[in-house]
Amino acid sequence: MCTTCGCGQGETTIEGHSHDQHHGHHHHHHGHGVAAAHAPGLSASRILRIEQDILSKNNAYATDNRQVFTARGMLVLNLVSSPGSGKTTLLTRTLSDLQDEIPMSVIEGDQQTVLDAERIRATGVKAIQINTGKGCHLDAHMVGHALEGLSPEDQSVLFIENVGNLVCPASFDLGEAHKVVILSVTEGEDKPLKYPDMFHAADLMLLNKTDLLPHLTFDVEQCIAYARRVNPDIRVLQVSATGGTGLEEWYGWLRKAREAALTSSRDAVVA
């Protein structure tokens, strides 16, 4: 949790939002106010109250986001992973392959730089960058602000590429329909056991970089077993963003999830 890692003490900036003339960014202070968690003498009960307050406020923003997404018939996916999983490469491949079929856009989360947003925009898909400073995850308030600048289309797919981290993003609902966790075969098959909250929160695990398996000692079946020990309902797809293996299954999952989002939106209108 943020009270132990101390994230959120930095300054968040959202690309394209500006109330001043400095770098074209609007400086949104989304710090969680948890620096006091490291102060001597802070009791465990006080830390718990701080955590509950953080998540309660976030969940209220997430509910607002979700209502907007449902009303607009949007499928929103929260992509989570550790750094180096190939998440951005998988995303750019997905955008390149499907942009003529499905309207899509991206919110990019990183501590610094706009490099990944630039990679996304090079595919022809619009993207906006959130830089979290010292923060190690996105929250629902940041996403709500980013939507103002991104203006995604109705009935589109919005990918939220979270900050590379398998800990804090597990606890923060952004209003998404699904968390999708990307795990690379170069990371070790025990990651679901080491970071159980993330794999428990995810509906889908994409086991990426499978083209490298001949060169590794990675146990695919053991990894999947570990993931299902943590989350018996998690679906697992084996993919290679560079080689193309498993991508049609991933795209099929996306299409079905989008159709479910459209159905939910139509049902909400009828109700």
Side-chain angles (χ1 to χ4, degrees):
M1 277 300 301
C2 293
T3 47
T4 52
C5 76
C7 76
Q9 297 177 46
E11 184 178 72
T12 297
T13 60
I14 300 177
E15 188 182 19
H17 286 241
S18 181
H19 292 319
D20 55 35
Q21 300 302 315
H22 299 292
H23 309 295
H25 291 287
H26 180 189
H27 296 273
H28 295 289
H29 294 271
H30 295 285
H32 302 303
V34 297
H38 301 279
L42 192 64
S43 68
S45 62
R46 175 60 178 154
I47 292 173
L48 179 60
R49 286 196 297 273
I50 292 171
E51 291 179 348
Q52 290 173 336
D53 183 55
I54 291 168
L55 291 177
S56 177
K57 289 178 179 178
N58 180 79
N59 289 342
Y61 284 119
T63 297
D64 290 343
N65 290 347
R66 186 170 285 109
Q67 289 173 347
V68 170
F69 298 147
T70 299
R72 297 181 58 186
M74 295 171 58
L75 170 65
V76 181
L77 302 178
N78 184 1
L79 306 183
V80 292
S81 76
S82 58
S85 67
K87 181 164 80 269
T88 307
T89 300
L90 179 61
L91 180 54
T92 55
R93 176 70 182 264
T94 300
L95 299 173
S96 296
D97 288 351
L98 296 182
Q99 62 180 303
D100 292 336
E101 174 187 346
I102 300 171
M104 296 176 287
S105 59
V106 178
I107 294 175
E108 273 292 335
D110 283 300
Q111 289 187 314
Q112 300 292 340
T113 82
V114 295
L115 295 175
D116 283 350
E118 290 171 349
R119 288 178 63 187
I120 297 300
R121 286 192 284 261
T123 69
V125 172
K126 61 184 178 181
I128 191 168
Q129 182 77 50
I130 300 177
N131 291 130
T132 59
K134 294 181 181 178
C136 63
H137 62 89
L138 298 178
D139 65 30
H141 192 202
M142 298 175 193
V143 168
H145 274 295
L147 286 172
E148 298 169 8
L150 185 63
S151 299
E153 297 179 44
D154 290 352
Q155 300 186 356
S156 64
V157 176
L158 171 63
F159 296 96
I160 303 172
E161 185 174 1
N162 220 312
V163 179
N165 176 9
L166 283 175
V167 184
C168 288
S171 300
F172 284 80
D173 182 7
L174 306 180
E176 73 272 12
H178 305 282
K179 281 186 175 68
V180 178
V181 60
I182 294 93
L183 177 65
S184 166
V185 298
T186 60
E187 296 180 69
E189 58 266 17
D190 56 356
K191 287 297 184 293
L193 297 184
K194 290 184 174 181
Y195 303 98
D197 288 350
M198 181 60 78
F199 290 85
H200 185 267
D203 295 313
L204 177 67
M205 180 176 90
L206 298 178
L207 189 59
N208 194 25
K209 302 186 182 181
T210 54
D211 54 301
L212 297 179
L213 283 171
H215 311 288
L216 303 170
T217 57
F218 185 91
D219 189 330
V220 171
E221 295 307 317
Q222 185 65 78
C223 179
I224 294 173
Y226 286 152
R228 288 182 175 151
R229 182 187 303 180
V230 171
N231 180 358
D233 296 323
I234 196 168
R235 183 170 179 183
V236 180
L237 298 178
Q238 299 179 45
V239 301
S240 168
T242 56
T245 303
L247 292 185
E248 281 306 316
E249 289 182 273
W250 158 233
Y251 299 161
W253 184 92
L254 271 175
R255 292 182 183 103
K256 288 181 180 178
R258 181 175 179 239
E259 184 56 42
L262 293 173
T263 299
S264 294
S265 179
R266 288 191 290 265
D267 291 346
V269 170
V270 171

